[in-house]
Amino acid sequence: MSAALKKSSSNGSDKSVTTEEQHAKISEIRKLIGPLPEKLAIYCSDAALTRYLRARNWNVKKATKMLKETLKWRAEYKPEEIRWEEVAHEAETGKIYRSNYIDKHGRTVLVMRPSCQNTKSTKGQIRYLVYCMENAILNLPPDKEQMVWLIDFNGYNLSHTSVKVTRETAHILQDHYPERLGLAILYNPPKFFEPFWKVVKPFLEPKTQNKVKFVYSDDPNSKKIMEELFDMEKLETAFGGNDDSGFNISKYAERMREDDKRMPAFWTRGNPQSAEPPVDLNSLDLNSDSDASDNGKVDSSPSHVSDSETLSPSESVILTKGSDNDSTEVH
């Protein structure tokens, strides 16, 4: 069984679950899901099922319902098939990119600059976000499940925020990438974020609160946070580090094209890729109600919300203002 299972009981989840119980719950989810095509079967690793269970406080039926929705989304949206050339225009200003350094825990780092928005297409912005998430996961070490977000608020103002894009962003991250966030650093956020955070914080679980760090360049304690997390020689000067090379779209494009070549093997685990027939969503039973014994009801209004359900301060600025006439629903 993966290391993720052994660590899960101490990751801050509300419910303590023994290793034996985790084995049993994972087996139960596999029975409820049934047989899957190769790509979706590879997605449903023990570590992945554990993440969905943690996101639903180890409730098998709720975790299965959430997982089925993700499998349906992946079968239709095909996030692993998005390639650099399709989204390159979204990346030109460096609004979201995978850094060339990791944190001291070995986690992938995504840099986000909401003030650098350069397009108006909600559909395109969401597509690029998904590409970045898939690329970050591709580059995680085998023993890591989570990533770090470095959100640079330089030049940010409220005009950069679109409710429509924020809603789509939240939907994707909350429903299809549960428990992928290890830490979100809000670097030099404007003052109006502080009262907003005070309102939101009581509704978040302690483990989620601890994943959001407000960091200010003129605060000595903030510098200590960054020094504990990063190699300052490799960290960008924009975040208080010593690397002044900056974002270079040409070099970044080369890295992404190389990563694109690795993606097919990642989803076949190194085996020759065979042409799979189109996925029959009905045969996968992805639309069935796995909560039938609970009268089809899932508690959607908990007193506290985990990071798989909301992280308003960072989500509200990950993607920025888009056109109201060019939205897309991603389910």
Side-chain angles (χ1 to χ4, degrees):
M1 191 62 68
S2 67
L5 293 182
K6 297 178 182 178
K7 293 186 292 185
S8 60
S9 61
S10 61
N11 73 345
S13 297
D14 290 342
K15 189 173 181 180
S16 178
V17 181
T18 66
T19 301
E20 291 75 17
E21 289 174 324
Q22 292 174 37
H23 279 274
K25 289 177 181 291
I26 287 174
S27 296
E28 190 173 349
I29 288 183
R30 293 196 184 284
K31 290 179 182 177
L32 290 170
I33 293 294
L36 295 167
E38 183 181 32
K39 285 183 181 179
L40 296 184
I42 289 174
Y43 180 81
C44 292
S45 64
D46 288 341
L49 299 191
T50 301
R51 286 190 292 103
Y52 280 83
L53 282 163
R54 289 203 306 263
R56 290 296 176 261
N57 201 24
W58 297 97
N59 183 301
V60 170
K61 291 179 180 178
K62 291 180 180 180
T64 303
K65 182 180 180 66
M66 185 184 190
L67 177 61
K68 283 186 175 184
E69 287 301 315
T70 294
L71 294 178
K72 178 182 178 182
W73 174 75
R74 294 192 72 90
E76 295 176 337
Y77 198 75
K78 303 183 187 305
E80 76 284 353
E81 294 183 11
I82 303 174
R83 295 295 178 262
W84 170 253
E85 302 304 333
E86 178 186 344
V87 297
H89 64 287
E90 293 283 347
E92 290 176 353
T93 57
K95 61 187 177 186
I96 308 178
Y97 60 91
R98 179 175 62 80
S99 70
N100 57 7
Y101 52 87
I102 56 178
D103 77 344
K104 289 184 178 180
H105 300 286
R107 296 175 294 191
T108 303
V109 177
L110 280 184
V111 175
M112 303 175 180
R113 291 193 165 94
S115 65
C116 292
Q117 183 55 260
N118 62 325
T119 65
K120 295 184 179 297
S121 168
T122 301
K123 180 179 179 180
Q125 292 172 30
I126 294 296
R127 193 84 173 157
Y128 181 53
L129 171 68
V130 170
Y131 175 83
C132 291
M133 290 296 294
E134 294 289 316
N135 180 268
I137 293 168
L138 173 71
N139 285 280
L140 282 170
D143 62 338
K144 301 295 179 183
E145 285 282 297
Q146 297 182 321
M147 64 190 72
V148 175
W149 297 345
L150 271 177
I151 306 173
D152 182 5
F153 280 86
N154 182 47
Y156 175 78
N157 58 60
L158 284 175
S159 69
H160 295 121
T161 301
S162 163
V163 173
K164 184 171 292 186
V165 176
T166 299
R167 184 174 61 245
E168 291 289 349
T169 299
H171 168 64
I172 295 294
L173 297 179
Q174 294 163 7
D175 296 347
H176 303 315
Y177 294 97
E179 298 291 325
R180 283 297 191 184
L181 177 64
L183 181 67
I185 294 178
L186 280 60
Y187 198 80
N188 284 335
K191 292 297 182 182
F192 61 75
F193 257 81
E194 294 180 9
F196 175 76
W197 176 246
K198 289 179 180 178
V199 172
V200 172
K201 190 174 180 180
F203 295 95
L204 302 178
E205 294 178 357
K207 68 171 183 177
T208 304
Q209 296 177 19
N210 293 335
K211 289 182 179 181
V212 180
K213 302 292 184 184
F214 283 68
V215 174
Y216 300 92
S217 57
D218 58 355
D219 181 0
N221 291 327
S222 292
K223 185 176 181 181
K224 188 178 297 184
I225 291 174
M226 301 302 280
E227 289 174 346
E228 290 175 352
L229 280 170
F230 301 101
D231 180 342
M232 301 304 286
E233 291 301 315
K234 296 180 180 178
L235 185 67
E236 299 163 63
T237 54
F239 298 107
N242 299 323
D243 183 357
D244 60 359
S245 57
F247 177 76
N248 183 300
I249 184 61
S250 297
K251 292 181 179 179
Y252 191 68
E254 292 177 10
R255 289 172 57 201
M256 294 302 101
R257 292 189 183 102
E258 289 302 312
D259 282 352
D260 284 355
K261 295 176 183 178
R262 295 165 48 211
M263 189 65 78
F266 184 79
W267 287 104
T268 57
R269 290 299 184 260
N271 298 320
Q273 189 171 16
S274 57
E276 290 186 341
V279 177
D280 183 349
L281 298 180
N282 292 323
S283 69
L284 293 179
D285 196 27
L286 298 181
N287 293 308
S288 68
D289 185 1
S290 60
D291 283 345
S293 62
D294 292 336
N295 297 321
K297 296 181 180 179
V298 177
D299 183 9
S300 60
S301 56
S303 57
H304 288 81
V305 185
S306 73
D307 67 291
S308 63
E309 292 161 347
T310 186
L311 191 60
S312 299
S314 58
E315 286 171 357
S316 65
V317 297
I318 291 170
L319 290 177
T320 54
K321 193 167 186 179
S323 169
D324 289 343
N325 298 321
D326 192 10
S327 64
T328 181
E329 295 296 328
V330 184
H331 297 291

